[in-house]
Amino acid sequence: MSIKPAIQILDEKKLLGMRVQMNFIGNRTQELWQKFMPRKNEIENKVSEELYSVEVYPSLSYFDQFNPATNFEKWAAVPVSTIDNSPTGLESLIIPAGLYAVFSFKGRDSEAPAMYQHILGNWLPNSKYQLDNRPHFAVMGEKYKNNDPDSEEEFWIPIKPKV
């Protein structure tokens, strides 16, 4: 698998959505999106129709000794111009500005873990970057088709130059 990311600087991103605590053993992603999708049209200040699937890990040590039972925060959200006046039951998340490795992904949802494993296990150690402690996220735009082999999305991995 040879994958070359685009290296991009992300401006601060404001999101509105819902979150759950979960781990990779008790994956609650589907449950989260089923709760969020009927509510997304209540958000009046969306800047696009893109969907953001965000992971907020407790620290960088999460990846040092990976344990699929360790919890992290999972978000289902949309980008907004302002986080004021959010509908009841929805929360805001601000992704700080910073450097990201952006990987294009095409395939079924079930194939994504292998892509992440390649990024973190092969690409990252052999690059001039290391993980940064900011949210990881996927952007699902108009080419995203839930669990379809032709579905396309982008994986944004927070990075910083190795020291």
Side-chain angles (χ1 to χ4, degrees):
M1 185 182 290
S2 176
I3 301 165
K4 194 164 170 93
I7 305 300
Q8 294 188 22
I9 296 172
L10 177 81
D11 292 331
E12 179 183 89
K13 183 85 53 188
K14 296 176 181 77
L15 303 176
L16 277 181
M18 295 178 156
R19 65 180 163 160
V20 295
Q21 288 290 320
M22 62 174 252
N23 57 50
F24 287 104
I25 294 172
N27 190 332
R28 299 175 62 195
T29 303
Q30 187 173 2
E31 167 195 337
L32 174 63
W33 282 99
Q34 286 174 342
K35 279 175 55 178
F36 175 69
M37 289 304 284
R39 304 270 331 265
K40 81 175 177 98
N41 290 331
E42 296 174 35
I43 301 170
E44 297 176 2
N45 51 347
K46 289 187 290 241
V47 295
S48 78
E49 290 300 315
E50 293 173 327
L51 301 171
Y52 280 65
S53 179
V54 184
E55 294 87 31
V56 180
Y57 297 101
S59 70
L60 286 176
S61 65
Y62 182 93
F63 298 97
D64 294 340
Q65 300 199 341
F66 178 72
N67 177 346
T70 303
N71 279 352
F72 61 93
E73 201 172 82
K74 179 77 167 192
W75 285 78
V78 295
V80 293
S81 56
T82 176
I83 55 175
D84 300 333
N85 303 323
S86 62
T88 303
L90 297 182
E91 298 180 82
S92 62
L93 174 67
I94 296 178
I95 298 176
L99 197 61
Y100 276 84
V102 183
F103 295 86
S104 295
F105 173 72
K106 182 175 181 176
R108 296 183 191 278
D109 297 346
S110 60
E111 297 164 349
M115 173 83 161
Y116 273 108
Q117 190 170 17
H118 176 77
I119 291 167
L120 298 176
N122 295 77
W123 179 82
L124 191 63
N126 294 304
S127 76
K128 58 184 180 181
Y129 302 101
Q130 61 189 22
L131 280 180
D132 198 1
N133 192 19
R134 287 179 281 118
H136 297 227
F137 60 94
V139 178
M140 298 166 287
E142 59 187 35
K143 293 182 179 181
Y144 179 76
K145 303 174 191 119
N146 190 18
N147 212 23
D148 185 293
D150 293 324
S151 182
E152 295 181 34
E153 61 190 289
E154 293 178 339
F155 297 151
W156 290 65
I157 308 297
I159 56 173
K160 61 185 178 183
K162 285 181 181 169
V163 286

